[in-house]
Amino acid sequence: MHLRERISVPVFVLFVVSLFFVMSTRQLAALDNGLALTPPMGWNSWNKFRCDVSEDLIRDMADAMVSSGMKDAGYQYIIIDDCWQVDRDEQGNIIPDAGRFPSGMKALADYVHSKGLKFGLYSDAGRFTCQRRPGSRGYEFQDARQYAAWGVDYLKYDWCAHRKQNAEASYALMRDALKAAGRPIVFSICEWGQNKPWLWGKNVGNLWRTTLDIKDCWDCIDKKNRRGWTRILDFQNGLEKYAGPGHWNDPDMLEIGNGNMTNTEYRAHFSFWCLLAAPLIAGNDLRTMSPEIKEILANKEVIAIDQDSLGVQGHKVRDDGDFEVWSKELRDGSRAMILFNRSKSDKEISASWKEIGFSDVTTAKVRDLWRHKDLGKFKDSFSATVPSHGVVMVKVTP
Ligand code: GLA
């Protein structure tokens, strides 16, 4: 006998209505974990170290985060990307690589916490990670409980080997698993923008990747479709309406200090990630960075633009081919402005107060955020010579 034949009509109707109610509240369920009210800041192993991760490396990075002044500048999360995991045991528990992490993840998390920092891990919504390690598909709740028990504060969740899974549902499942595990864990969606995560990410994660992987170059593109940061930048414009406190577009981790660009180009990369209110996840070797790289990554005036509590992502206001003007609204009524020169020679670029969003303003104060200098009051507009492949970044206060 079918279910329908065994129960009375009113009971059957009640059953269908309740099922519908449960399903619709599930879909509407919010992330509401109260985390990442400003874009998360930290360090991740992937861009520089790939699979060469170990507890020694992670301890070193935590130490360097503190001794370099990066922690003071606001960086918080130390995140191990792919390759920390090797297998599952008979009960399905995820097993870290014991050769590389002999003291175990709990001890490592404790160490990171003892430095006043937070600890992050990586997994994947499919059966395998991108480096063919075990993914979390089918083990979401078990893995989330394990992360919580270890003291994980941040989970980056990738999208390899997903087959035909529904992206939103797959990420919502891990969101629910993290919630059930009962520890506040920042949830980083990494499905490379394939299923327009900006349209659904707000209810699911704290940040979502918008593109395929970044590469340490100005505008290159390689066989794996990894791209230089200016190509990634071009894709961010227009996504600003989807970002806000607790939910951010993620144009991928920083390449600053990885050696393949000039300091002028790295300064521009950092300026833009801050104007975009992007997560600031350093991807270089913090132990050996030069003073110039440290000065870029730890520039508090530029970081303050990223971390502004209004939580607005900046956008492009003028595009003259190789010369662009971008602006970002800030909590105190001022705006951050970037003059950007993509060309091969230096160029004077100017921008008016009107085009950066101040329609009634005649005079405004200008502060240079890289030279740390008040430049004075300017009437109607501002202009500056911008180096090739560089920016001038200022704060404009009417
Ligand atoms: C994907 C992600 C990267 C990194 C690697 C690890 O490519 O987009 O950020 O996590 O996987 O395998």
Side-chain angles (χ1 to χ4, degrees), residues 280-294:
L280 298 178
I281 309 294
N284 59 321
D285 189 341
L286 303 178
R287 298 167 301 190
T288 55
M289 60 184 163
S290 68
E292 292 79 11
I293 293 299
K294 198 189 308 181

PDB file of all heavy atoms in Angstrom, residues 280-294:
ATOM      1  N   LEU A 280      41.904  40.042   2.514  1.00  0.00           N
ATOM      2  CA  LEU A 280      43.344  40.253   2.329  1.00  0.00           C
ATOM      3  C   LEU A 280      44.073  39.043   2.876  1.00  0.00           C
ATOM      4  O   LEU A 280      44.388  38.965   4.065  1.00  0.00           O
ATOM      5  CB  LEU A 280      43.794  41.526   3.057  1.00  0.00           C
ATOM      6  CG  LEU A 280      43.148  42.830   2.578  1.00  0.00           C
ATOM      7  CD1 LEU A 280      43.651  44.009   3.409  1.00  0.00           C
ATOM      8  CD2 LEU A 280      43.410  43.069   1.089  1.00  0.00           C
ATOM      9  N   ILE A 281      44.303  38.062   2.004  1.00  0.00           N
ATOM     10  CA  ILE A 281      44.965  36.835   2.426  1.00  0.00           C
ATOM     11  C   ILE A 281      46.332  36.799   1.744  1.00  0.00           C
ATOM     12  O   ILE A 281      46.433  36.502   0.542  1.00  0.00           O
ATOM     13  CB  ILE A 281      44.121  35.588   2.041  1.00  0.00           C
ATOM     14  CG1 ILE A 281      42.660  35.727   2.525  1.00  0.00           C
ATOM     15  CG2 ILE A 281      44.783  34.324   2.613  1.00  0.00           C
ATOM     16  CD1 ILE A 281      42.439  35.739   4.028  1.00  0.00           C
ATOM     17  N   ALA A 282      47.368  37.114   2.526  1.00  0.00           N
ATOM     18  CA  ALA A 282      48.722  37.145   1.970  1.00  0.00           C
ATOM     19  C   ALA A 282      49.098  35.738   1.513  1.00  0.00           C
ATOM     20  O   ALA A 282      48.649  34.739   2.090  1.00  0.00           O
ATOM     21  CB  ALA A 282      49.702  37.644   3.025  1.00  0.00           C
ATOM     22  N   GLY A 283      49.958  35.672   0.473  1.00  0.00           N
ATOM     23  CA  GLY A 283      50.299  34.355  -0.071  1.00  0.00           C
ATOM     24  C   GLY A 283      51.795  34.212  -0.285  1.00  0.00           C
ATOM     25  O   GLY A 283      52.237  33.395  -1.094  1.00  0.00           O
ATOM     26  N   ASN A 284      52.574  34.977   0.472  1.00  0.00           N
ATOM     27  CA  ASN A 284      54.035  34.965   0.286  1.00  0.00           C
ATOM     28  C   ASN A 284      54.710  34.335   1.500  1.00  0.00           C
ATOM     29  O   ASN A 284      54.054  33.965   2.474  1.00  0.00           O
ATOM     30  CB  ASN A 284      54.544  36.403   0.085  1.00  0.00           C
ATOM     31  CG  ASN A 284      54.218  37.306   1.266  1.00  0.00           C
ATOM     32  OD1 ASN A 284      53.134  37.212   1.843  1.00  0.00           O
ATOM     33  ND2 ASN A 284      55.139  38.162   1.643  1.00  0.00           N
ATOM     34  N   ASP A 285      56.045  34.250   1.443  1.00  0.00           N
ATOM     35  CA  ASP A 285      56.795  33.725   2.588  1.00  0.00           C
ATOM     36  C   ASP A 285      57.044  34.873   3.571  1.00  0.00           C
ATOM     37  O   ASP A 285      57.876  35.750   3.311  1.00  0.00           O
ATOM     38  CB  ASP A 285      58.120  33.124   2.097  1.00  0.00           C
ATOM     39  CG  ASP A 285      58.837  32.372   3.209  1.00  0.00           C
ATOM     40  OD1 ASP A 285      58.523  32.620   4.399  1.00  0.00           O
ATOM     41  OD2 ASP A 285      59.708  31.545   2.895  1.00  0.00           O
ATOM     42  N   LEU A 286      56.319  34.855   4.672  1.00  0.00           N
ATOM     43  CA  LEU A 286      56.390  35.983   5.619  1.00  0.00           C
ATOM     44  C   LEU A 286      57.734  36.042   6.342  1.00  0.00           C
ATOM     45  O   LEU A 286      58.095  37.057   6.916  1.00  0.00           O
ATOM     46  CB  LEU A 286      55.265  35.865   6.666  1.00  0.00           C
ATOM     47  CG  LEU A 286      53.836  35.794   6.139  1.00  0.00           C
ATOM     48  CD1 LEU A 286      52.859  35.619   7.306  1.00  0.00           C
ATOM     49  CD2 LEU A 286      53.483  37.052   5.342  1.00  0.00           C
ATOM     50  N   ARG A 287      58.484  34.914   6.309  1.00  0.00           N
ATOM     51  CA  ARG A 287      59.759  34.868   7.040  1.00  0.00           C
ATOM     52  C   ARG A 287      60.844  35.660   6.340  1.00  0.00           C
ATOM     53  O   ARG A 287      61.783  36.121   6.969  1.00  0.00           O
ATOM     54  CB  ARG A 287      60.248  33.412   7.169  1.00  0.00           C
ATOM     55  CG  ARG A 287      59.316  32.536   7.946  1.00  0.00           C
ATOM     56  CD  ARG A 287      59.675  31.076   7.767  1.00  0.00           C
ATOM     57  NE  ARG A 287      59.625  30.647   6.363  1.00  0.00           N
ATOM     58  CZ  ARG A 287      59.709  29.393   5.954  1.00  0.00           C
ATOM     59  NH1 ARG A 287      59.853  28.418   6.847  1.00  0.00           N
ATOM     60  NH2 ARG A 287      59.642  29.079   4.675  1.00  0.00           N
ATOM     61  N   THR A 288      60.729  35.766   5.011  1.00  0.00           N
ATOM     62  CA  THR A 288      61.851  36.319   4.248  1.00  0.00           C
ATOM     63  C   THR A 288      61.473  37.555   3.451  1.00  0.00           C
ATOM     64  O   THR A 288      62.207  37.951   2.555  1.00  0.00           O
ATOM     65  CB  THR A 288      62.370  35.249   3.265  1.00  0.00           C
ATOM     66  OG1 THR A 288      61.252  34.811   2.474  1.00  0.00           O
ATOM     67  CG2 THR A 288      62.969  34.059   3.990  1.00  0.00           C
ATOM     68  N   MET A 289      60.319  38.157   3.729  1.00  0.00           N
ATOM     69  CA  MET A 289      59.908  39.276   2.859  1.00  0.00           C
ATOM     70  C   MET A 289      60.799  40.499   3.066  1.00  0.00           C
ATOM     71  O   MET A 289      61.277  40.757   4.166  1.00  0.00           O
ATOM     72  CB  MET A 289      58.434  39.619   3.037  1.00  0.00           C
ATOM     73  CG  MET A 289      58.004  40.031   4.399  1.00  0.00           C
ATOM     74  SD  MET A 289      56.214  40.272   4.376  1.00  0.00           S
ATOM     75  CE  MET A 289      55.907  40.216   6.138  1.00  0.00           C
ATOM     76  N   SER A 290      60.989  41.250   1.998  1.00  0.00           N
ATOM     77  CA  SER A 290      61.826  42.456   2.048  1.00  0.00           C
ATOM     78  C   SER A 290      61.069  43.554   2.796  1.00  0.00           C
ATOM     79  O   SER A 290      59.841  43.503   2.911  1.00  0.00           O
ATOM     80  CB  SER A 290      62.123  42.927   0.625  1.00  0.00           C
ATOM     81  OG  SER A 290      60.920  43.385   0.033  1.00  0.00           O
ATOM     82  N   PRO A 291      61.793  44.571   3.281  1.00  0.00           N
ATOM     83  CA  PRO A 291      61.111  45.696   3.941  1.00  0.00           C
ATOM     84  C   PRO A 291      60.080  46.357   3.027  1.00  0.00           C
ATOM     85  O   PRO A 291      59.024  46.783   3.499  1.00  0.00           O
ATOM     86  CB  PRO A 291      62.252  46.666   4.261  1.00  0.00           C
ATOM     87  CG  PRO A 291      63.497  45.852   4.229  1.00  0.00           C
ATOM     88  CD  PRO A 291      63.255  44.695   3.302  1.00  0.00           C
ATOM     89  N   GLU A 292      60.364  46.406   1.716  1.00  0.00           N
ATOM     90  CA  GLU A 292      59.415  47.051   0.780  1.00  0.00           C
ATOM     91  C   GLU A 292      58.098  46.259   0.713  1.00  0.00           C
ATOM     92  O   GLU A 292      57.018  46.832   0.691  1.00  0.00           O
ATOM     93  CB  GLU A 292      60.005  47.143  -0.640  1.00  0.00           C
ATOM     94  CG  GLU A 292      61.169  48.094  -0.796  1.00  0.00           C
ATOM     95  CD  GLU A 292      62.498  47.508  -0.303  1.00  0.00           C
ATOM     96  OE1 GLU A 292      62.561  46.285  -0.032  1.00  0.00           O
ATOM     97  OE2 GLU A 292      63.469  48.277  -0.167  1.00  0.00           O
ATOM     98  N   ILE A 293      58.215  44.930   0.675  1.00  0.00           N
ATOM     99  CA  ILE A 293      57.002  44.094   0.611  1.00  0.00           C
ATOM    100  C   ILE A 293      56.213  44.212   1.921  1.00  0.00           C
ATOM    101  O   ILE A 293      54.988  44.336   1.925  1.00  0.00           O
ATOM    102  CB  ILE A 293      57.373  42.621   0.297  1.00  0.00           C
ATOM    103  CG1 ILE A 293      57.952  42.505  -1.122  1.00  0.00           C
ATOM    104  CG2 ILE A 293      56.185  41.687   0.476  1.00  0.00           C
ATOM    105  CD1 ILE A 293      57.012  42.932  -2.240  1.00  0.00           C
ATOM    106  N   LYS A 294      56.932  44.211   3.013  1.00  0.00           N
ATOM    107  CA  LYS A 294      56.269  44.362   4.319  1.00  0.00           C
ATOM    108  C   LYS A 294      55.527  45.702   4.383  1.00  0.00           C
ATOM    109  O   LYS A 294      54.400  45.785   4.867  1.00  0.00           O
ATOM    110  CB  LYS A 294      57.335  44.285   5.422  1.00  0.00           C
ATOM    111  CG  LYS A 294      56.744  43.984   6.776  1.00  0.00           C
ATOM    112  CD  LYS A 294      57.716  44.116   7.918  1.00  0.00           C
ATOM    113  CE  LYS A 294      59.006  43.353   7.744  1.00  0.00           C
ATOM    114  NZ  LYS A 294      59.920  43.507   8.903  1.00  0.00           N
TER     115      LYS A 294
END
